[in-house]
Amino acid sequence: MMSDTMEVYLQPTTTIDCDHAAVQAYVDKHIETGQSDLEKAVALYYAVRDDFRYDPYSFRLEEESFKASTTLEAGLGWCVPKAILLAACCRAAGIPAKLGFADVKNHLSTERMRQQMKTDVFHWHGYTSIFLEGQWVKATPAFNIELCDKFGLKPLEFTGREDSIYHEFDKAGNKHMEYLQERGEYADLPLAEMLSDFDRLYGPEMAESFKEHSFDKDVAKEVGS
């Protein structure tokens, strides 16, 4: 029997809308009867990682843009919406899940992002924390396999038994990701706090600055393809 404390990590919220019909249908498509929670979580991780293209230019500030069902319909998202989608999928499958955040120094970016953000520090990088076999494990579904191939990154694998967080170096040995600080894990998206920090650290115009541009095209320029 699930404890009252754990129940909060199974409930729908405004953004983790695990009770949405489209989310449930997506989960049903990727899990099978008789699978363990670990097997279900692993299957859902790879589905969210690779079915939804990582696109930081899709960054928006409206609450609606963070909903799992919105990301499901869009077919793409940046790290926070993708983490929310994975959390919603897990909850829809009856697996407790929460949202985790950290500040990271990210060496995967584009010239446009570097100019606009004026930093390589990504505040409030999102991941999903999933309760499996008696412990919480971190899963990071942000970078789809095609993007990893383009940038020469090692794709993140997830076994359900160990944390799946970004590699420090890429395939060539260059610096890729450095974790600077953990911001904690939450039953729901701390939207007001996150947006306040974004406004202070990046400026209120950042969300608008990417709208007319293509991340895929900028990635092609970045890697010379």
Side-chain angles (χ1 to χ4, degrees):
M1 184 176 179
M2 193 71 65
S3 70
D4 291 341
T5 303
M6 201 62 74
E7 275 294 331
V8 69
Y9 302 116
L10 288 166
Q11 298 302 312
T13 72
T14 302
T15 56
I16 308 174
D17 52 349
C18 54
D19 56 344
H20 194 285
V23 174
Q24 188 63 64
Y26 184 76
V27 169
D28 291 344
K29 177 182 175 182
H30 289 283
I31 64 174
E32 299 176 8
T33 302
Q35 285 183 316
S36 67
D37 282 355
L38 186 144
E39 290 170 327
K40 291 176 183 177
V42 169
L44 292 170
Y45 168 82
Y46 284 106
V48 172
R49 188 192 76 175
D50 292 334
D51 284 354
F52 299 87
R53 180 167 50 85
Y54 174 75
D55 188 343
Y57 291 10
S58 66
F59 176 85
R60 301 291 182 268
L61 302 179
E62 304 83 8
E63 186 176 56
E64 182 74 20
S65 72
F66 290 93
K67 287 185 176 183
S69 56
T70 299
T71 303
L72 193 60
E73 182 178 1
L76 53 80
W78 50 293
C79 62
V80 174
K82 289 191 69 173
I84 290 171
L85 176 57
L86 180 56
C89 288
C90 287
R91 291 186 186 186
I95 305 168
K98 52 187 175 178
L99 304 175
F101 299 92
D103 293 347
V104 299
K105 182 172 286 192
N106 183 4
H107 297 271
L108 187 158
S109 65
T110 64
E111 180 62 28
R112 194 180 313 280
M113 292 174 71
R114 290 189 289 273
Q115 289 180 357
Q116 181 61 45
M117 295 174 65
K118 297 180 174 58
T119 179
D120 58 359
V121 175
F122 285 56
H123 298 275
W124 290 93
H125 153 68
Y127 61 88
T128 313
S129 189
I130 309 170
F131 191 74
L132 296 167
E133 298 186 338
Q135 65 174 344
W136 289 100
V137 288
K138 298 175 182 178
T140 308
F143 294 166
N144 52 294
I145 187 72
E146 292 87 356
L147 182 70
C148 291
D149 288 344
K150 286 179 182 178
F151 268 99
L153 304 177
K154 305 170 189 174
L156 284 183
E157 309 299 342
F158 181 61
T159 67
R161 292 193 170 96
E162 302 91 21
D163 289 340
S164 177
I165 58 175
Y166 288 128
H167 301 293
E168 185 177 358
F169 300 97
D170 64 14
K171 291 178 180 177
N174 302 310
K175 283 188 175 182
H176 167 41
M177 193 76 70
E178 179 184 354
Y179 285 79
L180 303 177
Q181 70 164 341
E182 293 282 346
R183 286 185 175 267
E185 298 183 347
Y186 301 78
D188 196 7
L189 177 68
L191 184 60
E193 184 181 356
M194 186 175 71
L195 294 186
S196 175
D197 281 348
F198 284 163
D199 185 62
R200 175 175 56 86
L201 295 163
Y202 300 131
E205 71 285 349
M206 190 175 78
E208 293 294 322
S209 67
F210 297 125
K211 279 187 175 180
E212 304 304 318
H213 301 284
S214 165
F215 179 64
D216 281 350
K217 289 181 179 178
D218 282 359
V219 166
K221 291 178 184 177
E222 197 76 22
V223 299
S225 62

